[in-house]
Amino acid sequence: MASPPPQPSGQPPFIGAIDQGTTSSRFFIFDSTGTPVASHQVEFKQRYPHPGWHEQDPQEIVDSVTACIEAATADFEKQGHRLSDIKCIGLTNQRETTCVWDKTTGRPLHHAIVWTDTRTSSLVQELKKRPGASGLQERCGLPLSTYPSAVKLVWLLRNVAAVQDAYREGRLVFGTVDSWLLYQLNGGLGADVVVTDVTNASRTMFLNLHRLTYDDELLDFFQLDRRQMHLPRLVSSADGDAFGRVAAGPLQGIVIAASLGDQSAALVGQCAFDVGLAKNTYGTGCFLLCNVGETAVLSQHGLLATVAYDLGAGQKPVYALEGSIPAAGSAVRFLSENLAFFERAQDIDRVAASVADSGGVVFVTAFSGLFAPYWMADARGTLFGLTHHTTRAHIARACLEATCFQTGAILDAMRKDSGHPVRELMVDGGMSGSDLCMQIQADIVGIPVARPAMRETTALGAAIAAGLAVHVWADVGQVRSMVRTMNHGQAASRRVFRPRLNRARAAQMTRKWERAVRMARGWMEGDGDGEEGEEEEEEEGGAEVEAEAEAEAGEGREEGGS
């Protein structure tokens, strides 16, 4: 059992925020003005055992988080602060990534299957033919695709013996990364805290979007029996009791007061509390969310309906329309790491800015298909318009443009669904630091693009939600004032990019992009993709994972680990 939290010193409180992303984990400590005073980041290994597959070791995710907490808190203390002045922590995480573990041992049953993974493509096609498939999105807000957690779990149950056995024996625990981290932060098996907030649950296809409860009809569609598996308990995104306390380490006893999916946290961090406000986060992928208010809006134009946030305390949950782009920053890393176009991903600006335009090159960055609003699982990364004039600079610029064109398509779909155009696009995330990319974005979509002074809005959103839960701030009005004051104090760092490109030229470029998208589809048709072979390999791989897990369990027992 965790010890009681240390007594504060009477100084203004600080708030910690875990930001667990697709390729790295970070921990921030914010003061009560929303300013980060300490942080640390740790990258962890990505596994790509077959084309289209993407896995992570669940224990490495936990280890990266604990390493960040230890380093950031050490820096915090070196600055003369006391750990007892950290009042609470919030958590934000990569969504949809699927974890499974054994209820009796607390150990993972398989590597986590990451949200970008496309091994379930053929399974999705099979599921689309089942009776009731056409009504799923109306219930849960999500279309059948490789994206949500449900199809990943079904794949695991079909292909991994350890998962099959645990399900049959009632030992299987399913969760997204938030549930796994909260379980571990609370002490794992001893505390057995298995919870999830509604923003993360809304990405599984198990949650009824309107009632915000697990839906037996959805589970029945995927042929899952709730009696044979353990689903996380559903709670609001901000709650001073539901998420438990940190069981060990420098933050032992500190309350975990909030948990949100990363894109919801970024929406909160941007203070998009009003209907019609939209933000776009440029990270590994790209995620555009627009606040639609207290009633879910089901898209007719290829977008997702999702829970934006639920701040609890008697407030109604807020919904969003969302468009997701699977490859944004990861496309830049592809040019850097796979093709050696430049040494570091951030060097793309220098290379792309060396030419005035893309020279007619269009790069459809569909490494794992295209998401909203296209939903083309059979598309793959494709370059069009190459000539003897083409250089790496033209391709680098086309790579940046690809994210901007897809963002434009999502904004157009949002306008059609809501009946109201977005007037200004708030941005954050790593790629938003590129002045060139943000200017291209403004030119393509034809509206101002606003980049805040404090760009760590995802972590800030988790801190805000946690602070609201324990009354660091009284309400969202006070949060707005705090963020406004912070931006005013850092006005020189805030920037608004305004469109410079002729609208006719922007429309011409967009038409060429749309033509390239149509031509990029169908690359996976008729190939077979080696799926039968891959399934056979996975059965062998599953045995290897099981053996590896057993070996690690033995090592843990020898070292006295639980």
Side-chain angles (χ1 to χ4, degrees):
M1 180 179 295
S3 63
Q7 294 301 307
S9 66
Q11 296 296 317
F14 293 86
I15 304 170
I18 298 167
D19 182 358
Q20 201 297 300
T22 305
T23 59
S24 70
S25 298
R26 299 186 295 173
F27 183 70
F28 290 82
I29 301 173
F30 293 92
D31 65 19
S32 58
T33 71
T35 303
V37 297
S39 67
H40 191 74
Q41 179 174 6
V42 172
E43 294 187 351
F44 55 93
K45 184 177 180 180
Q46 308 298 309
R47 291 169 167 79
Y48 305 96
H50 301 290
W53 294 27
H54 187 181
E55 298 180 355
Q56 295 166 351
D57 184 329
Q59 189 56 52
E60 289 180 6
I61 294 174
V62 175
D63 291 345
S64 68
V65 168
T66 55
C68 288
I69 291 173
E70 289 171 0
T73 52
D75 180 28
F76 184 70
E77 288 186 299
K78 284 180 182 177
Q79 296 178 37
H81 302 298
R82 292 177 48 175
L83 294 183
S84 59
D85 290 327
I86 300 176
K87 188 167 185 178
C88 61
I89 66 171
L91 166 66
T92 182
N93 58 280
Q94 55 172 313
R95 304 171 303 168
E96 294 97 15
T97 296
T98 300
C99 300
V100 286
W101 65 97
D102 190 322
K103 183 171 176 60
T104 61
T105 67
R107 294 188 177 277
L109 294 165
H110 192 270
H111 284 153
I113 298 182
V114 182
W115 61 273
T116 56
D117 189 286
T118 59
R119 75 184 69 188
T120 56
S121 295
S122 60
L123 173 59
V124 168
Q125 297 308 310
E126 174 195 325
L127 292 173
K128 285 181 176 179
K129 297 174 184 176
R130 280 188 185 173
S134 61
L136 293 178
Q137 190 164 0
E138 186 176 343
R139 300 181 78 89
C140 69
L142 307 179
L144 270 172
S145 72
T146 60
Y147 193 25
S149 310
V151 291
K152 305 180 197 304
L153 177 60
V154 172
W155 188 93
L156 286 165
L157 283 165
R158 288 189 179 187
N159 292 279
V160 180
V163 179
Q164 294 167 355
D165 291 345
Y167 179 75
R168 185 173 58 253
E169 297 167 11
R171 296 182 284 108
L172 176 64
V173 184
F174 158 83
T176 41
V177 169
D178 59 310
S179 298
W180 169 246
L181 275 176
L182 290 165
Y183 176 79
Q184 291 292 331
L185 288 168
N186 276 275
L189 189 61
D192 199 27
V193 174
V194 183
V195 296
T196 190
D197 92 296
V198 289
T199 69
N200 278 294
S202 70
R203 316 301 296 182
T204 62
M205 294 193 80
F206 298 149
L207 185 81
N208 185 297
L209 191 65
H210 312 284
R211 298 197 308 264
L212 299 186
T213 59
Y214 288 124
D215 190 314
D216 286 333
E217 289 192 31
L218 292 171
L219 289 161
D220 288 345
F221 176 84
F222 292 105
Q223 298 177 350
L224 296 169
D225 188 342
R226 286 179 68 173
R227 296 169 299 182
Q228 291 185 249
M229 57 187 287
H230 301 272
L231 294 172
R233 181 168 62 91
L234 295 167
V235 298
S236 65
S237 309
D239 190 308
D241 300 314
F243 301 110
R245 294 179 181 271
V246 180
L251 297 181
Q252 183 176 13
I254 299 294
V255 65
I256 306 167
S259 178
L260 308 88
D262 50 8
Q263 303 315 315
S264 291
L267 198 70
V268 172
Q270 290 272 22
C271 288
F273 298 123
D274 296 327
V275 174
L277 292 180
K279 72 86 202 173
N280 201 15
T281 297
Y282 299 75
T284 300
C286 204
F287 303 89
L288 203 165
L289 272 70
C290 181
N291 183 328
V292 298
E294 296 173 354
T295 302
V297 174
L298 297 176
S299 176
Q300 303 300 314
H301 298 92
L303 303 180
L304 310 179
T306 193
V307 180
Y309 52 83
D310 179 359
L311 298 178
Q315 301 176 74
K316 292 183 178 180
V318 172
Y319 293 89
L321 280 171
E322 175 175 343
S324 307
I325 301 168
S330 61
V332 176
R333 286 198 303 275
F334 169 80
L335 294 184
S336 173
E337 297 173 7
N338 294 43
L339 302 186
F341 271 33
F342 27 81
E343 187 174 346
R344 303 173 305 158
Q346 48 266 53
D347 293 336
I348 190 171
D349 265 24
R350 173 181 53 79
V351 176
S354 67
V355 291
D357 54 43
S358 64
V361 174
V362 178
F363 187 3
V364 182
T365 51
F367 299 103
S368 53
L370 291 173
F371 289 173
Y374 307 106
W375 297 109
M376 290 165 48
D378 59 349
R380 284 298 177 268
T382 318
L383 275 167
F384 295 97
L386 299 182
T387 69
H388 288 298
H389 170 70
T390 302
T391 68
R392 63 176 184 152
H394 295 109
I395 296 173
R397 194 174 184 105
C399 181
L400 295 178
E401 290 178 351
T403 295
C404 300
F405 282 126
Q406 291 173 81
T407 297
I410 292 168
L411 283 171
D412 188 51
M414 285 183 173
R415 176 187 58 79
K416 293 173 181 176
D417 277 326
S418 68
H420 304 286
V422 172
R423 300 294 183 186
E424 180 180 82
L425 183 62
M426 298 183 290
V427 299
D428 53 63
M431 278 181 70
S432 72
S434 164
D435 288 357
L436 176 61
C437 185
M438 294 301 97
Q439 186 58 57
I440 292 171
Q441 185 68 87
D443 288 342
I444 287 173
V445 300
I447 59 175
V449 171
R451 185 175 65 195
M454 213 293 286
R455 301 175 199 171
E456 301 297 348
T457 54
T458 303
L460 178 61
I464 287 171
L468 287 169
V470 299
H471 311 297
V472 171
W473 301 289
D475 52 34
V476 296
Q478 190 176 357
V479 168
R480 278 197 192 96
S481 298
M482 178 266 293
V483 172
R484 192 180 302 118
T485 300
M486 178 175 59
N487 282 331
H488 180 73
Q490 302 177 34
S493 300
R494 185 179 187 271
R495 183 163 177 188
V496 177
F497 298 84
R498 302 187 185 279
R500 297 175 183 168
L501 191 65
N502 176 279
R503 298 315 303 150
R505 173 59 178 151
Q508 180 186 45
M509 292 169 63
T510 299
R511 287 194 297 272
K512 181 178 285 189
W513 161 263
E514 293 293 342
R515 186 164 74 249
V517 166
R518 292 192 295 272
M519 295 172 69
R521 75 179 312 154
W523 283 99
M524 304 307 292
E525 286 183 356
D527 290 352
D529 292 342
E531 285 176 359
E532 291 183 5
E534 286 183 356
E535 287 182 3
E536 292 172 3
E537 288 176 31
E538 171 56 20
E539 288 176 0
E540 296 174 7
E544 290 174 7
V545 170
E546 193 173 356
E548 182 182 335
E550 290 177 0
E552 289 175 352
E555 290 172 7
R557 285 189 292 271
E558 289 171 9
E559 296 170 2
S562 59

